[in-house]
Amino acid sequence: MKTFKMVRGMRDFIPEEAEMLRLIEGKARRIAQLYGYKEIITPVVESYELLAAKTGEEVRARMYAFKDLGGRKVALRPEFTASVARLVATTMRNEPKPLRLLSIGSLYRYDEPQKGRFREFWQSNFELIGSEKPEADAEILLLTNSLMKSVGLKNYAFKIGHVGVLRGILSREGLAEETQNRALQLMDKKQYEDALSLVKDAGASEKCLTLLQKIVKVKSSNISKVLDEMKKLVENCKEAYEAVNNLAKILELVSEAQKLDITVDAGFARGLEYYTGIIFEVYVPELDIALAGGGRYDRLVELFGGEPTPAVGVAHGMDRIMLALQEQKAPLEFQGEKTVMMIPVSEALNQEALRISEILRAEGIPVEVEVMGRKVAKALEDANRRGTSYVVIVGERELKEGAVTLRNMERKEQSIVKIEELAEAIRTGPR
Ligand code: HAM
């Protein structure tokens, strides 16, 4: 018989993993509530043209793109931001701003599979739309910090830059946006030499090249020092200078509100092409891949036919957050409900077992019924292995009195409890 394997790069989540993913999702939803973000649900399949418009070469080349049966060129979404911008440019065009929108779901990129890199992965994505103010950028950073903290991650740090600095320098040289995009793509991959020779070939001056060489090396967690250094380097380039000022303002707002571990990296670039302002990623020491990434994109909604609409957002990689928690051996504790296993001592009592299970479930208590026909001792062993909180043993003698045996698995204690008092005994009893 033929056996099937999972398609390369795809993921199965077995129950413990699915539970952890959903737990992270639950935390993200809670953060959304706390910061006022409302969920939208957009389709997995979008038009190729929409998704390809500003995702950048790197992601564009890795899209799951195909023609549907109607001959439309479509693709599986590699990210949420394009879909959100489409919605804001069309159906939600007249909604009052700011709009705070949450998306959660699976994304698809034909990346080379490796640790923490999958072809199907999950994000919680937050977009704050309609504000050009630094408070909006600060909010996106702060809510990302809140999420990382609430899942229990340790030693996570923000890497922050501003595309306005590099673009400002390149624009002053009159370099076309297309060339700038390619140069930033290379910088994103840390191929600074290649980026510089590309810029040189496109006609940039020696002065510009020297400045670029210097600026990409400016990086420090001493924020005031690094900002001063950047300002000094770009003082003759208005656009880049304003970008540094904008970055400084955002970081000041953030530091007033929270203590974040931040490194400012002037040579930091991200693969996505729509960014116009601050860009950032989150890392933990255990992994060299980003757990989250985001930034400001002020022209995307307009590009999709909407009003000029400034926006800033972030996507948290839920698979990678999960991996980081596992690496830190701090997996989220699932403080689940108390669970019950219902074991009839003989087949003749199966019906009673089902009836009592239904009573408990109606009271909101999760119950698993013994369905393998095992003897009590075997079934108890299984309940123990599964970490069940309580076992209810349905026996002839107790039933005559309208009662059952209730056993606390952790404490290994048991007592006879009336059926009508069973739910209350479980609810108020020890875990
Ligand atoms: P991104 O940096 O491409 O940004 O992805 C965000 C996060 O998704 C990454 O930091 C990573 O945790 C996760 N991720 C990306 N690719 C993979 C993969 N192949 N396997 C596992 N996890 C992955 C965006 O997607 C932007 N839309 C973020 C944004 C929202 N910018 C503004 N608003």
Side-chain angles (χ1 to χ4, degrees):
M1 221 194 313
K2 189 166 169 49
T3 55
F4 292 98
K5 276 198 292 195
M6 208 168 31
V7 173
R8 187 165 145 80
M10 296 293 142
R11 298 197 70 177
D12 283 326
F13 288 80
I14 59 170
E16 304 85 82
E17 294 165 337
E19 186 170 288
M20 193 159 171
L21 184 80
R22 295 303 183 198
L23 225 59
I24 295 169
E25 175 178 333
K27 298 279 183 192
R29 288 186 187 283
R30 180 67 188 141
I31 296 298
Q33 256 177 356
L34 289 172
Y35 286 79
Y37 286 69
K38 299 268 183 283
E39 184 176 14
I40 51 169
I41 302 176
T42 56
V44 172
V45 175
E46 291 270 14
S47 93
Y48 173 81
E49 211 186 329
L50 172 96
L51 297 173
K54 282 284 169 189
T55 58
E57 197 39 48
E58 184 78 9
V59 175
R60 193 157 39 232
R62 293 171 193 275
M63 280 206 290
Y64 279 85
F66 55 98
K67 278 218 167 89
D68 71 8
L69 293 180
R72 300 171 196 88
K73 182 134 195 224
V74 295
L76 305 186
R77 60 185 180 201
E79 58 140 6
F80 282 115
T81 310
S83 303
V84 180
R86 170 184 61 71
L87 196 56
V88 172
T90 55
T91 318
M92 297 185 74
R93 190 185 185 101
N94 297 322
E95 294 285 317
K97 308 292 183 298
L99 278 168
R100 289 184 166 92
L101 301 174
L102 165 75
S103 306
I104 291 186
S106 57
L107 296 307
Y108 302 84
R109 295 183 195 175
Y110 204 76
D111 278 330
E112 194 47 37
Q114 48 182 282
K115 191 172 176 184
R117 181 163 289 135
F118 307 98
R119 291 180 177 168
E120 178 183 60
F121 59 96
W122 294 74
Q123 286 182 347
S124 65
N125 184 89
F126 292 69
E127 310 286 1
L128 173 42
I129 291 158
S131 168
E132 55 177 18
K133 300 265 184 262
E135 297 87 284
D137 306 72
E139 176 172 306
I140 291 291
L141 288 168
L142 289 171
L143 72 79
T144 297
N145 174 61
S146 294
L147 178 63
M148 299 298 158
K149 203 191 293 179
S150 78
V151 295
L153 269 178
K154 293 185 286 277
N155 304 322
Y156 58 87
F158 287 77
K159 174 163 120 178
I160 302 186
H162 196 298
V163 291
V165 178
L166 294 172
R167 285 206 188 264
I169 295 169
L170 298 173
S171 297
R172 198 181 51 164
E173 296 291 302
L175 295 193
E177 193 179 329
E178 185 50 35
T179 316
Q180 294 186 19
N181 290 348
R182 272 190 288 137
L184 292 181
Q185 290 278 342
L186 289 168
M187 290 191 189
D188 176 38
K189 288 188 270 177
K190 305 271 171 297
Q191 297 169 358
Y192 292 113
E193 288 303 315
D194 294 344
L196 285 176
S197 60
L198 183 137
V199 172
K200 188 174 176 191
D201 292 347
S205 64
E206 263 323 306
K207 218 170 105 194
C208 167
L209 291 172
T210 320
L211 173 56
L212 282 174
Q213 253 162 350
K214 281 191 192 150
I215 200 118
V216 298
K217 293 201 187 99
V218 177
K219 177 177 166 178
S220 169
S221 53
N222 182 337
I223 309 284
S224 56
K225 180 172 153 253
V226 73
L227 290 173
D228 281 348
E229 227 171 299
M230 286 166 79
K231 275 187 194 162
K232 217 170 283 159
L233 282 171
V234 300
E235 64 191 347
N236 295 320
C237 179
K238 188 165 171 281
E239 201 181 322
Y241 193 80
E242 276 169 9
V244 183
N245 269 336
N246 175 244
L247 180 59
K249 184 71 204 159
I250 296 164
L251 295 181
E252 189 189 322
L253 286 168
V254 168
S255 69
E256 298 275 313
Q258 276 287 353
K259 211 177 138 19
L260 260 57
D261 184 345
I262 292 174
T263 295
V264 171
D265 184 345
F268 175 34
R270 278 173 46 75
L272 299 156
E273 276 168 11
Y274 45 65
Y275 292 118
T276 55
I278 187 185
I279 47 172
F280 68 94
E281 285 174 348
V282 178
Y283 288 88
V284 283
E286 290 82 2
L287 296 172
D288 56 6
I289 44 177
L291 303 192
R296 171 167 286 281
Y297 54 101
D298 285 348
R299 288 196 282 277
L300 195 60
V301 175
E302 192 178 350
L303 184 79
F304 294 159
E307 302 291 326
T309 311
V312 55
V314 59
H316 312 114
M318 301 203 303
D319 310 72
R320 292 193 187 166
I321 293 175
M322 184 166 153
L323 185 64
L325 287 169
Q326 286 161 343
E327 292 284 320
Q328 294 190 347
K329 306 223 173 343
L332 274 174
E333 275 294 315
F334 185 59
Q335 268 302 336
E337 293 173 280
K338 291 174 191 163
T339 52
V340 175
M341 183 93 83
M342 184 72 58
I343 310 175
V345 299
S346 71
E347 231 171 274
L349 294 168
N350 282 350
Q351 212 174 334
E352 277 302 313
L354 286 185
R355 185 181 69 85
I356 300 165
S357 298
E358 287 296 293
I359 294 174
L360 291 184
R361 292 183 188 122
E363 294 281 335
I365 296 171
V367 185
E368 286 177 56
V369 185
E370 168 57 29
V371 287
M372 306 294 281
R374 287 175 288 209
K375 292 255 178 329
V376 174
K378 272 266 172 273
L380 272 174
E381 244 173 63
D382 186 43
N384 202 23
R385 192 175 54 80
R386 288 170 193 269
T388 310
S389 341
Y390 284 94
V391 163
V392 174
I393 303 165
V394 185
E396 196 89 50
R397 209 161 359 110
E398 295 79 17
L399 259 187
K400 284 208 180 96
E401 310 292 318
V404 288
T405 305
L406 178 64
R407 181 177 174 83
N408 181 296
M409 294 302 285
E410 174 110 15
R411 301 196 172 188
K412 300 191 168 51
E413 292 167 359
Q414 62 184 51
S415 55
I416 312 290
V417 178
K418 292 266 185 224
I419 292 170
E420 65 262 28
E421 288 161 14
L422 189 58
E424 190 58 17
I426 293 167
R427 213 176 291 124
T428 54
R431 185 162 281 281

